[in-house]
Every structure is written in C-alpha cells, then in structure tokens.
Amino acid sequence: MHDLLADLHLSESSLRFALNLLFALLILVVGFWVAARVANVVQRALQRASVDPTLSGFLRNLVYGVLIALLVVTALIQAGVPQAPLAAALGASGLAIGLALQGSLSNLAWGVLLIIFRPFRVGDLVTVGGIDGTVEGISLMYTRLLLADNREAVVPNGKIGADAIINFNQRGMRRFELKVGIGYKDDIGRAMAEIRQLFEADARILKDPAPGVWTVNLGDSSVDLVVRAWSRTDDLWAAQTDLLRAIKERFDEQGISIPFPQRELTVVQGTLPAGTPPQA
C-alpha cells in the first residue's frame, strides 16, 4: 500500500512538472509572437513621430529585448525553477555583463543622446574628441568623420560626449579674419578705404553682420591691420582666400606697400685710433 501511494505521488509530481513545462513552452511561443508585435508597434509609432530611424530601431530592439527577458524569467518560474536562486543568478549575470561592457555601454548611452539632441548632423564640419572633420555617419556606438585629407576617423561616442563639441555649420555663417601690414609711410585711411571697397565688390561677404577693418598694432616694420568679415559657411574658404588675394592686388595697383621684416645697417667710416690692430 505504501509503495502504491508513493507511485501515485511520483506520477502526480511528474504530471505536474510536465504540465508546468508545457505551460512554460506555451508562454515562450506566445510570448515571442506578442513581443515582436509590440516592438513593431512601438517602432511604427516612433516613425510616425518622425524619430530618427537609428534611434527608433534601437528603441524597438530595446523594447523587444526587455520583453524577451521578462518572458524567459516568467517561463523559468512557471517551469518550477526556484525564484531566489534565479534572481541571484540574474543579478550576478547583469553585474558581470555591465562591468565587461562598461565602455560599450558608455558609447551606447552617448550614441542615444547624440541622436536625440542632435548637436551635429551628417554633413556638418565639426571638432569632436579633438578631431576636425565632416560627419559622414552617426551610429549608436561610433561616429564616422571624413578628414580634410580624405582619411576616415571612427570616433567612439563616449569620447565625443566627454569632450567639447564644436559645430562649424550650426549657425549657417562664420566670421573669418585676415591680418595685413602696410608701410609706415603709407596712408592708413586710404588703405582701409580700399579694403572696404573690396567688401562691397564681393557678394559672398555678408553685409549683416557688417565687415570691418581696424588698426591693431604698430610693428617693427609695418602698421598692422586686421580684417574681419562674415560669409555663409559654404563660401568661407573661397571668400577668405579671394579677399586676401584681392587686397594684395589692389594695394599693388594703388602703390600701397606691404613690407616684410628687414634690418637697416649703418656703416660709420672713420680713422682707427693709433695702435688699433687691423681687423681680419
């Protein structure tokens, strides 16, 4: 009789375990389907809200991953795995993964922030992480820059977030500065007037903010003028270099000198004192 009761109890336990395992598998099958549908709904909602495709894809995968994690935990509990050891194992695993991926998680977090707050966009000329370049692509982990000499730099987003970000395109226009020296015998007012005429002649130089020219220094061999003007960001390099050339050509036409450093030597002729040995 005792053996019969034991066999019945064992059969009941086996049946309960089989049912729990079946329910756990059912939870997984249905749960995977529901998680995929919920994640897709979230992604479509973000796309309708005009959220960046990279960010919407990341958030879709994040929602899906969280749902799958909860699904697996629920299935394990339903299958009869004790909750306390399971919670301890999950906590230890999460801590180990977090420590191992500390740098990657930092890059990921900054990637999300860069996509949300948009301090720069693809095509902008920037200085990030101490590197100057044009933004070619922004991902969740890295930002790709095209350098002036056609090299490509891949900068971790964590490094970008930990440093200053300088965006040269954000305002749409920039100021450039030139320094020009004229001779001490030249008319300063006339030189300034000639430069102002060049401002008016170049449509790429903006009139608001107004350009200007000032006297900034009396050097060893020249009176130094500083020229400051504004242009659209796309026209900056051409406007700056063309204006510098135009100033040189205009000064040459008007006889205004641009001196270069030089020294004047004064030779004094006379009779050497008696007894002075001749110099070699």
Side-chain angles (χ1 to χ4, degrees):
M1 187 67 179
H2 182 270
D3 293 339
L4 179 60
L5 291 175
D7 291 340
L8 290 174
H9 180 71
L10 181 60
S11 300
E12 182 181 353
S13 299
S14 300
L15 179 60
R16 188 182 301 113
F17 175 76
L19 290 175
N20 288 339
L21 187 59
L22 179 62
F23 284 135
L25 292 174
L26 183 62
I27 289 173
L28 286 176
V29 172
V30 176
F32 275 108
W33 183 85
V34 172
R37 295 299 179 276
V38 171
N40 291 334
V41 168
V42 170
Q43 185 176 27
R44 285 194 293 269
L46 292 173
Q47 290 173 346
R48 285 194 295 269
S50 300
V51 176
D52 184 90
T54 304
L55 181 58
S56 63
F58 166 73
L59 293 178
R60 185 265 179 202
N61 293 334
L62 179 63
V63 170
Y64 183 73
V66 170
L67 292 176
I68 292 302
L70 293 175
L71 179 65
V72 170
V73 171
T74 303
L76 289 175
I77 293 174
Q78 179 62 40
V81 176
Q83 297 185 26
L86 179 61
L90 291 176
S93 301
L95 179 60
I97 293 173
L99 292 175
L101 300 178
Q102 185 175 3
S104 298
L105 292 176
S106 175
N107 291 334
L108 180 62
W110 277 111
V112 173
L113 293 177
L114 290 176
I115 294 173
I116 292 176
F117 293 106
R118 289 291 188 178
F120 52 81
R121 299 175 182 272
V122 173
D124 285 350
L125 177 63
V126 297
T127 298
V128 293
I131 301 174
D132 298 334
T134 302
V135 180
E136 280 202 318
I138 307 169
S139 67
L140 290 172
M141 302 298 291
Y142 302 98
T143 295
R144 291 185 294 108
L145 300 180
L146 179 64
L147 307 188
D149 57 0
N150 207 37
R151 290 181 298 166
E152 183 179 275
V154 180
V155 187
N157 289 333
K159 184 176 181 180
I160 295 176
D163 203 349
I165 298 174
I166 301 175
N167 190 331
F168 297 98
N169 295 85
Q170 188 72 27
R171 301 285 179 166
M173 60 182 182
R174 288 176 57 192
R175 191 192 76 180
F176 63 85
E177 179 176 298
L178 303 174
K179 291 184 179 179
V180 180
I182 62 174
Y184 271 91
K185 296 181 180 180
D186 294 305
D187 187 329
I188 299 176
R190 182 185 171 197
M192 288 181 169
E194 296 293 339
I195 294 175
R196 293 190 185 101
Q197 290 180 11
L198 296 175
F199 292 156
E200 298 296 330
D202 193 338
R204 296 169 299 184
I205 296 178
L206 301 178
K207 307 307 180 283
D208 183 22
V213 54
W214 298 267
T215 306
V216 292
N217 185 46
L218 300 177
D220 294 337
S221 58
S222 65
V223 177
D224 297 329
L225 308 179
V226 63
V227 178
R228 295 193 180 107
W230 295 78
S231 71
R232 304 298 300 177
T233 303
D234 294 339
D235 297 331
L236 178 73
W237 178 250
Q240 177 179 348
T241 55
D242 288 350
L243 179 61
L244 184 61
R245 177 176 177 175
I247 291 173
K248 173 64 169 63
E249 293 175 347
R250 180 65 64 88
F251 281 7
D252 290 344
E253 293 174 0
Q254 300 300 320
I256 300 172
S257 63
I258 300 179
F260 51 87
Q262 54 186 326
R263 293 180 182 274
E264 294 185 359
L265 299 179
T266 302
V267 179
V268 179
Q269 294 182 348
T271 305
L272 294 175
T276 302
Q279 300 295 320

